[in-house]
Amino acid sequence: MFAPREDWEEQKARFAVDDRLRLPGALPEALAEEIHGLLSHASFATMLARNGQGVALGEGDISSMTPEQRTQLIRDVYKDAGHGSGFLYDGHQLAGSSDPAMQGILARINAPETLERVRELTGISDITHADGQATRYRGGHFLTRHKDDPGGQQRRLAYVLSLTKNWHPDWGGLLQFFENDGRPRDAWAPGWNILSMFNVRHIHSVTYVTPFAGADRLSVTGWFRAGEPS
């Protein structure tokens, strides 16, 4: 899956500094364009947290709501987020997708040569597979501060394959990292054909996407895991 490059050892050393890596030009350009096209025309569910529970709503679920119900839904989502736990974005699970082309994205990520390269870059030798979803962030979307290491799921490494064109940082949607005490540290802006990988111990968020964002924030995200696929 990875584009050919001469600096693998340099990238490996960068990851070793802080268990994080931002890899521009990650895919061959033609493959990046192919996946971008799939994401641009994919069907998405609205993924949100309401009253502490994750919910996936299809287009029919939302269109059947009254305006008052939709308003209350957003109020509930923002109330949870205001207490430090919440998310709102569009998602499409790759495993089990009804679109074989979308399933093919995950198959490429799980190709033996891809997994071996990830193990070499990160030194995490027990990675066996990855899961993934396509995500689309638009105005009003966000993901509050969290870690990606719930017990029992054997997550080793989070990844974000950013396939977003012409994004302006003023639009939000930044991958924001935090110190363990909650202080903000650096943030990575969406971009074109950039693979970000980081140890699941890192606290992070996706900052609020402004209503005036002029493009969709498109990416493929998930985790590289140990153990057997579920």
Side-chain angles (χ1 to χ4, degrees), residues 101-122:
M102 296 295 281
Q103 293 184 36
I105 298 172
L106 187 59
R108 289 180 182 273
I109 296 170
N110 278 288
E113 60 272 19
T114 302
L115 295 175
E116 180 59 26
R117 178 64 73 183
V118 171
R119 288 190 291 264
E120 290 176 356
L121 278 171
T122 65

Side-chain angles (χ1 to χ4, degrees), residues 29-82:
E29 190 66 17
L31 179 56
E33 290 285 1
E34 176 186 339
I35 297 176
H36 177 267
L38 291 172
L39 270 56
S40 296
H41 296 95
S43 60
F44 286 90
T46 299
M47 316 296 289
L48 57 89
R50 186 184 198 186
N51 300 323
Q53 299 294 319
V55 179
L57 298 177
E59 292 182 4
D61 297 319
I62 295 177
S63 63
S64 66
M65 293 180 178
T66 66
E68 292 77 14
Q69 287 172 326
R70 288 195 290 270
T71 298
Q72 186 60 51
L73 174 67
I74 295 302
R75 285 175 177 169
D76 291 344
V77 170
Y78 286 170
K79 180 180 179 181
D80 277 10

Side-chain angles (χ1 to χ4, degrees), residues 26-27 35 159-163 193-196 218-221:
L27 307 184
I35 297 176
Y159 73 88
V160 180
L161 175 58
S162 182
L163 294 168
N193 192 15
I194 300 172
L195 178 64
S196 300
L218 296 174
S219 61
V220 178
T221 71

Side-chain angles (χ1 to χ4, degrees), residues 44-209:
F44 286 90
T46 299
M47 316 296 289
L48 57 89
R50 186 184 198 186
N51 300 323
Q53 299 294 319
V55 179
L57 298 177
E59 292 182 4
D61 297 319
I62 295 177
S63 63
S64 66
M65 293 180 178
T66 66
E68 292 77 14
Q69 287 172 326
R70 288 195 290 270
T71 298
Q72 186 60 51
L73 174 67
I74 295 302
R75 285 175 177 169
D76 291 344
V77 170
Y78 286 170
K79 180 180 179 181
D80 277 10
H83 290 93
S85 178
F87 55 86
L88 176 63
Y89 63 90
D90 296 333
H92 182 120
Q93 293 294 330
L94 298 180
S97 173
S98 60
D99 185 345
M102 296 295 281
Q103 293 184 36
I105 298 172
L106 187 59
R108 289 180 182 273
I109 296 170
N110 278 288
E113 60 272 19
T114 302
L115 295 175
E116 180 59 26
R117 178 64 73 183
V118 171
R119 288 190 291 264
E120 290 176 356
L121 278 171
T122 65
I124 305 175
S125 60
D126 64 348
I127 287 173
T128 58
H129 66 285
D131 58 20
Q133 64 172 325
T135 65
R136 181 180 67 191
Y137 282 72
R138 291 175 161 173
H141 288 173
F142 63 91
L143 174 63
T144 58
R145 186 178 57 183
H146 65 287
K147 286 185 180 181
D148 283 342
D149 60 348
Q153 298 192 24
Q154 300 199 73
R155 295 175 181 174
R156 297 293 188 262
L157 192 70
Y159 73 88
V160 180
L161 175 58
S162 182
L163 294 168
T164 302
K165 296 184 177 183
N166 303 316
W167 189 265
H168 195 291
D170 285 351
W171 298 345
L174 307 179
L175 178 57
Q176 173 73 59
F177 291 95
F178 298 84
E179 304 289 357
N180 288 331
D181 62 5
R183 289 179 294 122
R185 50 182 304 194
D186 52 346
W188 295 351
W192 174 245
N193 192 15
I194 300 172
L195 178 64
S196 300
M197 298 188 292
F198 51 94
N199 189 293
V200 294
R201 69 177 176 81
H202 284 290
I203 304 170
H204 62 284
S205 70
V206 177
T207 64
Y208 183 81
V209 178

